[in-house]
Amino acid sequence: MPNSPSPNGSTPDAVALTDRTDDRPVYVIGGGPGGLAAAAALRARGVRAVVLEKSGSVGSSWRGHYDRLHLHTTRRWSALPGLRIPRAFGRWVGRDDLVRYLEAYTEHHELEVVTGVEVNRVDRAPDGSGDWQLTATGGRILRGRAVVVATGFNHTPRVPDWPGRDTFTGELLHAAEYRDPAPYAGKDVLVVGIGNTGAEIAADLAEGGASRVRIAVRTAPHIVRRSTAGWPAQATGILVRRLPVWLVDRAGAVMARIAVPDLAAHGLPRPDTGLYSRVRQGAIPVQDVGLIDAVKTGRVTPVAAVASFDQDAVVLVDGTRLTPDAVIAATGYDRALEPLLGHLDVLDARGRPVVHGRRTPRQAPGLYFTGFTNPISGMLRELARDAGKIAKRVARVR
């Protein structure tokens, strides 16, 4: 059952006045940072919000990330509405501390979270009222005045269907299954993908005792320092995100030559497209947390992209054959929204929502999305901003 609010003898406010008897609440799908932030912002405006989380706890995706993980955004700009992240967690908050923060956030705002319930389909209510109907596990049919979809940017692990993949005799796993380098000590490991996850796992393996670490690169990434002389890369991202793309591309090229060494001799050339042009295409720069030094010292070796598998071998696009003990695919995630929403014509060709934040699709008023973009200014910061905008819009419409 949902938690009930604690008795409060202080002066009533919007949260205290939230009507828990409302049988047409706003349903928030997903108990991660985006869903919790939206629910808290709605409660602050006196709107009943019920968070539906398919796992047994809030922040489930964060609980499953690798041990080394720390936010690449600062503590200050990663907090959700209404509760700061404790200073004791440090500037770059670790995985376990972020989970603790999400648990504390849920309690602090007395959020109504129902775990173990997975929403399978979202439809308009059949009576033409404009309400929404959710079909969930256990035969549940739920009805709400609005729906906030916050199932996450990284939802379903994606492993390319490489030719011969099923014949590979070594270990093949997605980065979502990687926890720490201990099982790979003394082993030859190939990491596929050089986004932030792949770069950090490669560095982690090199530092953790793997005998050889290679990283397969399809497109050379932009690499930035997480912090330069105390100035976080996120701050730059916030400042430039609304500037012209060409201007940020030029400035980014200058900064890269100043702050990041040329690794072309080590197999990792500078990219031939601008930093912000790549961001607009969905490719966030790699924040360095050890990759640069690992490549310079030869502890991580960049190689060409993977073309296929052939039993014990991995064949690269340049014809090279490798025989690693393990392959870790840091090849991204799918949003996996089609079963839930595909019939509503609210997704683009890549399966992502056509709108986000306070905007709703023209053909689906009352349906909101948060957490499906990966902005240069930091995802958690934008989740927090979206939450307030969504809550304001929902309260006004009500």
Side-chain angles (χ1 to χ4, degrees), residues 243-296:
L243 294 178
V245 172
W246 66 267
L247 180 61
V248 181
D249 282 349
R250 290 186 182 181
V254 172
M255 290 302 300
R257 294 186 182 280
I258 294 173
V260 178
D262 187 355
L263 300 173
H266 302 279
L268 194 58
R270 296 189 188 278
D272 56 9
T273 53
L275 183 150
Y276 205 24
S277 293
R278 293 284 301 280
V279 169
R280 296 295 290 271
Q281 296 168 2
I284 295 297
V286 172
Q287 294 204 19
D288 178 50
V289 289
L291 180 69
I292 291 175
D293 286 343
V295 171
K296 286 177 62 178

Side-chain angles (χ1 to χ4, degrees), residues 17-104:
L17 293 174
T18 300
D19 183 4
R20 291 294 183 109
T21 67
D22 184 355
D23 62 356
R24 293 172 54 251
V26 175
Y27 281 106
V28 180
I29 307 175
L36 298 179
L42 286 162
R43 283 213 65 200
R45 289 185 173 272
V47 178
R48 184 187 179 200
V50 178
V51 179
L52 303 175
E53 167 56 44
K54 69 177 182 179
S55 74
S57 57
V58 298
S60 62
S61 63
W62 286 94
R63 296 171 191 272
H65 286 311
Y66 49 93
D67 295 348
R68 174 191 173 112
L69 180 66
H70 283 71
L71 294 180
H72 292 162
T73 53
T74 66
R75 180 186 71 252
R76 174 187 174 189
W77 287 323
S78 299
L80 304 181
L83 185 66
R84 293 181 179 180
I85 298 176
R87 182 180 295 271
F89 289 176
R91 192 182 200 193
W92 312 105
V93 180
R95 178 201 63 188
D96 292 346
D97 283 335
L98 183 64
V99 170
R100 293 187 188 100
Y101 170 70
L102 296 178
E103 292 172 341

Side-chain angles (χ1 to χ4, degrees), residues 338-395:
E338 289 82 0
L340 187 70
L341 303 162
H343 56 288
L344 295 176
D345 193 28
V346 295
L347 306 176
D348 65 17
R350 295 185 298 173
R352 300 184 182 186
V354 294
V355 298
H356 72 278
R358 68 174 179 268
R359 297 173 58 202
T360 62
R362 181 178 303 176
Q363 69 276 26
L367 182 63
Y368 300 87
F369 298 89
T370 183
F372 295 98
T373 61
N374 195 10
I376 195 173
S377 52
M379 182 178 289
L380 291 176
R381 177 180 182 270
E382 297 308 317
L383 287 176
R385 292 164 63 87
D386 279 351
K389 295 174 182 177
I390 290 172
K392 182 178 180 180
R393 177 70 176 270
V394 171

Side-chain angles (χ1 to χ4, degrees), residues 156-159 172-178 327-333:
T156 301
R158 179 178 65 244
V159 178
L172 173 61
L173 67 153
H174 189 272
E177 301 173 74
Y178 175 84
V327 175
I328 300 175
T331 46
Y333 295 78

Side-chain angles (χ1 to χ4, degrees), residues 41 76 79 90 135 182 187 194 205 225-226 245 308 316 348 385:
R76 174 187 174 189
T135 304
K187 293 186 177 182
I194 196 169
L205 288 164
R225 301 287 188 180
R226 186 169 65 177
V245 172
S308 63
L316 307 182
D348 65 17
R385 292 164 63 87

Side-chain angles (χ1 to χ4, degrees), residues 115-191:
T115 58
V117 174
E118 181 176 7
V119 179
N120 302 311
R121 184 179 171 97
V122 176
D123 290 288
R124 300 304 299 268
D127 60 4
S129 63
D131 284 354
W132 289 91
Q133 178 174 290
L134 282 62
T135 304
T137 51
R140 296 176 177 86
I141 301 296
L142 308 172
R143 182 173 179 137
R145 67 166 64 95
V147 175
V148 180
V149 182
T151 50
F153 190 83
N154 296 334
H155 187 274
T156 301
R158 179 178 65 244
V159 178
D161 189 19
W162 291 296
R165 187 183 77 180
D166 294 341
T167 72
F168 185 54
T169 56
E171 180 184 4
L172 173 61
L173 67 153
H174 189 272
E177 301 173 74
Y178 175 84
R179 293 295 174 268
D180 63 72
Y184 306 96
K187 293 186 177 182
D188 183 335
V189 186
L190 173 66
V191 178

